[in-house]
Structure formats: structure tokens, C-alpha cells
Amino acid sequence: MSKFRIQGGYPLQGAIRPQGSKNEAFQVICAALLTSAAVIIHNIPAILDIEALLALLRLLGVEVEKRSPNSYRIQAQDLDMDAVGTDQLKLYGGKIRGSILLLGPLLARLGKVRLPHPGGDRIGRRRLDTHFMGLRKLGASCSYDAITGTYKVWARQLTGHDILLDEASVTGTANVIMAACLAQGTTRIYNAACEPCVQQLCHMLIAMGASITGIGSNLLTIQGSDRLHGTEHQILPDMIEVGSFISLAAMTQASLTIQHAHCHRLEPILSRFSRLGIQFSLTEDYIHISPQAYYEIEKDMQSHMLTLADAGWPGLPPDMLSIMLVTAIQARGTVLIHQKMYESRLFFVDRLIEMGAQLILCDPHRVHVIGLDRKQPLKGIRMTSPDIRAGIALLIAALSAEGESIIEHISHIDRGYERIEERLQPLGAKIERIA
């Protein structure tokens, strides 16, 4: 299994362009199954999770043509759920969280779908109830076979309905949207997630002939159509990767320009980095971070400690908290990181403590970070990547540390970050992939 060997402590310099959004890619690739016509999608990130999803589509009879390293033509003309065995479904669909996004489009197209329990990061309980509750409201029946670990959903005809989601789940919202596009009548989704990836999904579906209003709000209205047609779609830059690069620049005192970042969509992320004391300039669609001798964490109006907590959009995305946490390690001041959603996501801080960070794991959801103020560098160690975002946080820490670090199980990083070592090496990062 591959590892990263990293020599830390080198300042980085140059420009880098973020990959396409991982979360958007999953949604729009699955949305291509809603039509028998061809859909062309650009800026798809070349990451392991996307490779697994495309392999699963091929098993379902979908024609997947790679037109360039990041562009695909997808045509679901001959969908066949029955041709795929349970073991095959588990081999691909059981690896990735995003396979759950096949529920809505396959149900709408075929009237039935079976999927294994999805994989993905082991960061705590990740409930799926919202997906099934929404599809039931549209007229579907759902069951779970505990022996095979397989979900089955079927419906003779989907019918529009008013749906109140019990949580503003991004993937749950996406599944209901896609199913509702081919349902009879009108569907109103209350408490809908409104993240940029959901907005992009809606815009793509409208380009395919769907009728959707309320985009960007928590109330979506969808008028069902008999059929949708093909389209061409461009995926946005990955805002979590943009945040990762800002953190990397701050921790390594880099002079870094992030190109084509779509800055107008990043306010929830950029404002939190500002509160950590990170200075940057925005020029057109670029973000530039200059080296800072120190950065100081902002306090609130009563001089109380800053708290950074995840929330639904336009709040701070949960995927950013591990990255914010590692950024605060070398700050001046203290901050409380509050991860509300998952109870196992913060356990990787043990490795950061071993590297010399001053952290207190208060409970599974909260970490108190006492900034080192660059008075003491982190030291390189041997560690393991437990999930995608913890993996990139450990990588950032290692690049800022003195000495050599080895990061094992980097397949977790490869699941979310495209050729990360090849893209960082031209900036001066001393990182190599080893067996």
C-alpha cells in the first residue's frame, strides 16, 4: 500500500488550480442517468471515489466515454439493474458514500433500485433515513435486507408531494430532487440543503429540461417532466480543496496563488480563515496568500474564545473543520473547534498532539486548540490517514513540520484529492509517493 514520505519545513511558492468539486461531481454524474440522451460533463476530478462510481455505472450498462483527463460523455440508454449481481454492487457501490445518489435517478428511470449500504469515511454514524423518507413521500416503497446488506426501493409511479426533510441533508436533497424531476405533478421540498453543489445540480437539470424554482433557498419547487434530454455541464472548483490550499499556505508561510477559485462562492470559508488571522487578497477569480510572521485568532466582542462550528450552507461546511483545526495549530491565541455532525471525525488529533500541537480533545465533538504562535515547530512522525479530510490535515501538518513524516493509507487522500503530490511538488513541497 502506498505511502507519502514528506520532508517538512520548506516554504512553498507558486500558483495552483483547484480540481473540480468532488461533491458536485457525484451528483451531476448520477443525474446523467435521468435521460437516455448523452450528457457531457467537464472538470470531473480524477480521484478514486469517482473512478469507483464510473465503474459502477458501466456495470449498470451506462456508456462512459473518457474524452479528456477530466471530461466524460455519459449515456444511460441501456440501463439494466437486474444484470448486476449483489457481489458486484458491493465491490463498487459498497466502497463509496456517493453510490447512495443512484437511488433517485434509478428509481425514476427504472421504477426499482437495489444498492448496498454505501461506504466512505468511517467518521461516525451517517444516517440515510432522509433519503428514504423523501422517496416514500413520492410514492416509493423501501426495504433493507440485513443479510445481504442491500437496500431495495421500488415504485409503480412516482407522484409529486410536499416533503419536509427531517434534516437538510445534501445528498438526501439531491436524491429527492432527481426523483421528483420525473414524477407526476409538483413536488415542494422544505428544509432543502442549498449548498453550491445542490445549486449546480439544479442548474444542470434545468438545462436538461427540468422545471425547478427556489434554487439557493431551503424551499425548492419541482414540476415533474415526462422526460429529460442531454446537456453539457461544467463542474465548479472544489471549495474544500481551495480551503486546504489556504491552510497549507498559512502553515508553511508560503507565497501561494490559488487560480480560478470562484471567490464569490467562498464567503463562508474565507470569513472563517479571516477570523483565524489569515490574510489574503482577492483579484478577479484568484486568491493570493503572502507569508505571515504570525496570525492571530480573533476574539468575540466580549473577548471570549472563538468557536468554529460546522453548519449547513451558508454555514461552515463540515469538511472544512479538520482543515481549520490544523491551521489554528500555529496561530496566536486559542479556538474551540466544534464538529456537530460526526462523532468520530476528530480522533485524528492524537497524531497532531504527537507532532507537538497543543490540543485538548474535550469530547468526541470538540477540540480546544492552543496556538503555538510559531514559537515551536511541529516535528515529523509516522502516521496513518484515517479519512479524506483528516488525511489532508495531516499532510498539511507534515509539510509544515521539521524533519521527515511518513503518512500511510494514503488511498484515503487519493479518494478526494487528485494527484496531490504531483501538484504540490512544483511549489517546492518535498513529498514523494513510496511503496
Side-chain angles (χ1 to χ4, degrees), residues 27 34 100-101 103-105 107-108 128-138 158-167 169-183 187-190 192 198 201-202 205 212 220 222:
Q27 294 184 27
L34 288 167
I100 195 66
L101 286 161
L103 277 178
L107 177 65
L128 298 173
D129 303 60
T130 303
H131 300 254
F132 298 108
M133 291 166 63
L135 295 177
R136 282 191 180 109
K137 284 285 189 178
L138 294 176
L158 296 177
T159 305
H161 203 282
D162 285 359
I163 301 171
L164 173 61
L165 299 181
D166 65 333
E167 63 174 347
S169 162
V170 172
T171 51
T173 299
N175 256 328
V176 176
I177 290 170
M178 290 187 282
C181 281
L182 294 183
T187 297
R188 279 179 288 269
I189 306 174
Y190 297 86
V198 176
L201 170 66
C202 291
L205 291 169
I212 305 173
L220 295 173
I222 303 157

Side-chain angles (χ1 to χ4, degrees), residues 163-354:
I163 301 171
L164 173 61
L165 299 181
D166 65 333
E167 63 174 347
S169 162
V170 172
T171 51
T173 299
N175 256 328
V176 176
I177 290 170
M178 290 187 282
C181 281
L182 294 183
Q184 287 185 350
T186 302
T187 297
R188 279 179 288 269
I189 306 174
Y190 297 86
N191 195 32
C194 53
E195 273 73 359
C197 58
V198 176
Q199 297 179 41
Q200 282 289 99
L201 170 66
C202 291
H203 290 309
M204 174 175 153
L205 291 169
I206 288 173
M208 294 170 67
S211 174
I212 305 173
T213 58
I215 298 172
S217 76
N218 63 0
L219 173 58
L220 295 173
T221 302
I222 303 157
Q223 183 64 47
S225 306
D226 290 334
R227 66 185 60 179
L228 300 178
H229 52 73
T231 191
E232 194 163 348
H233 180 78
Q234 179 84 14
I235 292 174
L236 290 177
D238 194 309
M239 62 183 179
I240 308 302
E241 189 171 70
V242 172
S244 303
F245 293 150
I246 294 174
S247 172
L248 177 63
M251 286 288 284
T252 63
Q253 295 183 275
S255 176
L256 184 65
T257 299
I258 305 171
Q259 303 170 326
H260 304 290
H262 282 231
C263 303
H264 63 286
R265 300 177 184 270
L266 298 176
E267 179 58 24
I269 293 173
L270 297 180
S271 63
R272 271 54 171 210
F273 276 116
S274 292
R275 299 200 72 185
L276 290 179
I278 310 303
Q279 298 174 10
F280 46 82
S281 58
L282 307 180
T283 305
E284 295 181 354
D285 218 15
Y286 289 19
I287 302 172
H288 181 73
I289 306 100
S290 297
Q292 290 181 239
Y294 71 91
Y295 48 98
E296 187 167 359
I297 298 171
E298 178 184 304
K299 295 180 180 179
D300 69 15
M301 291 294 291
Q302 296 177 307
S303 296
H304 293 160
M305 180 173 58
L306 173 67
T307 296
L308 293 180
D310 57 323
W313 192 264
L316 181 63
D319 283 351
M320 278 303 306
L321 277 187
S322 299
I323 297 160
M324 291 286 176
L325 188 157
V326 78
T327 309
I329 287 173
Q330 287 294 359
R332 177 179 295 176
T334 65
V335 62
L336 182 69
I337 302 294
H338 188 179
Q339 164 61 258
K340 299 175 183 176
M341 190 169 295
Y342 304 115
E343 63 270 14
S344 303
R345 195 164 214 172
L346 297 177
F347 292 157
F348 79 100
V349 300
D350 286 349
R351 304 286 75 78
L352 297 174
I353 293 170
E354 187 179 347

